[in-house]
Amino acid sequence: MAGMSVAQPVEVDRDVVDFAAVGKWMDEQGLPAGEFTGVAPLGGGTQNIMLRFTRGGRDYVLRRGPKHLRAASNTVIRRESRILGALDGTGIRAPKVIAAGADDDVIGASFYLMEPIVGFNPQTELPALHAGDPEIRRQMGLSAVEAIARLGALDHEALGLADYGKPDGFLERQVPRWLKELESYSVNEGYSGPEIPGVERVGDWLDRNRPAQWKPGILHGDCHLANMMFSYDGPEVAAMVDWEMSTIGDPLLDLGWQIATRPEPGTTGAALIGTLGAVGGLPTPEEMIAHYGKFSDRDLSNATWYTVLACFKLGIVLEGTYARAAAGKAPKQVGDFLHAITLELFAKAHRLIE
């Protein structure tokens, strides 16, 4: 093909991304032609694959599912590209999609191209400006709150996302949905069952205290600080990333998620946020709730309920890896680490409902 050549480093598996096929597809999209240069894998908090490259004078990041696709991998990638496309132009801090490959036959998996994000992930990096100033770190936490509040304030129907989730009965579904998930882990041979004190008690409290009224909106679904990129020259969020758990539901669960995952130095959970979690200096839950209210007209009187739900849901999600580790399907060290965080999350939930 005219103008097309490929410089493909050995660390990029052709079975993962066939750049000859990607180049042909990019040409069909009207994107600049040329040689692929600077191809490099990017790390992330998920098993999804991200590769950065330059072609025709423009920088790109390609995102696709893992090499060994799971049942929902392609659907997740297509949903991500759809919601990011819908958010373009709204002012929400999110990656900008350049083009999406709807057909799995280009590289054998769904993928999309997005613009690279200029920023750092506080799980793995903390520039001197941020490391040396607790007020900057406090403002980082508030900027993360603002980001989810602005997201939850959008009119999802006006953005063409009316069918992106099933908001009817969203809150009612949560406890039975996640108790069923926890029960499903018993299929892992070697897993003796959840040793999590008071799971049923927390679930019962959630059912008895569930908010009677709420307004549907866009939910990021996994908005802890390790899924945020921050500006190098200030505390502002550069982009919220990893949208694979996004849906239409109750956006206040995002607020509860940020409070539940707020890193407290010295805890196991703080290690999930890495460098930033170790130094702390983040806003208090009360400051986070008040700040959310500056960008939202939602009723925040039930913020504790959403925090307890976040502890309950995330704790059960993490327990899944512990169960797989017990069956030899995940590293034991990772399973033990996440189980310890599950216990911390449920301990936090118990403190909140006492």
Side-chain angles (χ1 to χ4, degrees):
M1 179 169 45
M4 164 70 190
S5 59
V6 179
Q8 186 165 322
V10 293
E11 70 265 26
V12 178
D13 190 335
R14 184 187 169 88
D15 291 338
V16 171
V17 176
D18 179 346
F19 276 95
V22 171
K24 182 174 183 294
W25 177 83
M26 289 177 69
D27 291 345
E28 292 167 355
Q29 310 306 308
L31 295 170
E35 181 182 355
F36 285 83
T37 60
V39 181
L42 295 178
T46 72
Q47 295 183 49
N48 290 322
I49 292 166
M50 290 193 295
L51 299 173
R52 181 166 182 158
F53 64 88
T54 300
R55 187 182 190 232
R58 185 171 187 180
D59 295 329
Y60 300 86
V61 171
L62 183 149
R63 181 167 165 91
R64 57 150 287 171
K67 179 177 179 180
H68 302 291
L69 294 172
R70 298 185 289 268
S73 292
N74 286 334
T75 300
V76 165
I77 292 296
R78 285 194 292 267
R79 281 176 58 82
E80 276 190 3
S81 64
R82 180 184 171 189
I83 194 167
L84 292 175
L87 293 176
D88 191 15
T90 63
I92 297 300
R93 305 282 174 92
K96 182 178 174 63
V97 172
I98 298 169
D103 295 331
D104 304 342
D105 57 2
V106 177
I107 61 169
S110 294
F111 69 95
Y112 60 91
L113 302 179
M114 58 183 167
E115 292 183 351
I117 299 157
V118 179
F120 69 91
N121 185 320
Q123 185 181 42
T124 55
E125 182 181 357
L126 203 60
L129 172 68
H130 305 72
D133 189 342
E135 177 58 21
I136 290 280
R137 298 196 296 275
R138 191 179 78 87
Q139 292 294 334
M140 288 172 70
L142 295 179
S143 182
V145 169
E146 178 184 346
I148 57 165
R150 290 188 182 278
L151 176 69
L154 293 175
D155 182 341
H156 64 283
E157 293 183 351
L159 294 173
L161 295 171
D163 63 343
Y164 189 74
K166 298 175 181 175
D168 289 349
F170 178 80
L171 293 186
E172 290 82 359
R173 288 197 301 270
Q174 295 302 306
V175 170
R177 157 78 175 84
W178 293 103
L179 286 178
K180 184 178 179 182
E181 180 78 4
L182 185 61
E183 192 178 317
S184 75
Y185 300 157
S186 61
V187 301
N188 290 282
E189 193 173 337
Y191 178 60
S192 58
E195 296 177 11
I196 307 170
V199 173
E200 297 289 348
R201 178 183 174 226
V202 175
D204 181 61
W205 183 91
L206 286 166
D207 276 339
R208 286 187 290 104
N209 293 277
R210 186 171 53 245
Q213 293 184 314
W214 61 279
K215 179 182 165 188
I218 303 172
L219 188 73
H220 177 281
D222 193 19
C223 55
H224 54 74
L225 292 174
N227 279 341
M228 304 265 174
M229 302 285 287
F230 288 86
S231 169
Y232 281 107
D233 55 8
E236 294 81 18
V237 169
M240 295 184 282
V241 298
D242 286 350
W243 289 77
E244 57 194 81
M245 291 175 67
S246 61
T247 190
I248 306 302
D250 189 337
L252 288 180
L253 181 53
D254 274 349
L255 175 61
W257 204 268
Q258 284 200 353
I259 296 171
T261 59
R262 174 185 176 273
E264 298 172 15
T267 63
T268 307
L272 270 182
I273 318 297
T275 313
L276 178 59
V279 294
L282 292 157
T284 65
E286 293 75 20
E287 288 176 310
M288 295 166 72
I289 294 165
H291 198 66
Y292 191 102
K294 294 179 182 178
F295 308 96
S296 173
D297 59 3
R298 294 179 184 275
D299 178 4
L300 300 178
S301 62
N302 288 306
T304 295
W305 188 88
Y306 292 98
T307 305
V308 173
L309 175 58
C311 291
F312 180 83
K313 177 177 175 178
L314 181 55
I316 290 175
V317 169
L318 298 180
E319 184 73 1
T321 301
Y322 179 62
R324 289 190 294 276
K329 300 174 186 174
K332 183 179 186 301
Q333 184 179 3
V334 173
D336 290 345
F337 170 67
L338 296 180
H339 179 64
I341 297 173
T342 292
L343 296 180
E344 287 182 351
L345 287 166
F346 272 88
K348 182 179 291 189
H350 286 298
R351 289 195 298 272
L352 290 170
I353 68 179
E354 285 173 354

